[in-house]
Amino acid sequence: MTSAEGDTAMVHTYLSSDSLRNPCFGELALMYAKPRAATVRCAQAGVLWGLDRAGFRTVQTQARHCIAHDHNARPQ
């Protein structure tokens, strides 16, 4: 986060022990076609995956289809 004076501050730290096995960020920018609200810096070695908006929308669509299929396949 950058203040009006240009100072930066850490606002969140993602750890592998977070509730999600692989925490994510930037999804709001992808969902609403807005610029990212933050810059990410790595403090140590890791793996970073990038995904453009078209890929994100494809994953969303496929996930919805899988959820609907699973729901319809359940015995009533």
Side-chain angles (χ1 to χ4, degrees), residues 3 11 16 21 25 30-31 34 40-41 49 55 60 63-64 66:
S3 69
V11 295
S16 61
R21 181 170 177 211
F25 54 88
L30 291 169
M31 290 168 56
K34 299 291 182 185
V40 177
R41 294 186 184 167
W49 288 68
Q60 279 185 309
R64 283 190 196 118
C66 289

Side-chain angles (χ1 to χ4, degrees), residues 14-74:
Y14 290 97
L15 301 172
S16 61
S17 61
D18 283 352
S19 61
L20 297 173
R21 181 170 177 211
N22 298 302
C24 62
F25 54 88
E27 67 279 3
L28 295 178
L30 291 169
M31 290 168 56
Y32 300 112
K34 299 291 182 185
R36 288 177 295 110
T39 297
V40 177
R41 294 186 184 167
C42 296
Q44 59 188 21
V47 177
L48 179 66
W49 288 68
L51 185 64
D52 64 9
R53 188 163 193 254
F56 182 78
R57 301 288 293 205
T58 299
V59 170
Q60 279 185 309
T61 302
Q62 290 176 353
R64 283 190 196 118
H65 174 74
C66 289
I67 291 168
H69 181 266
D70 288 347
H71 179 72
N72 292 335
R74 291 183 188 161

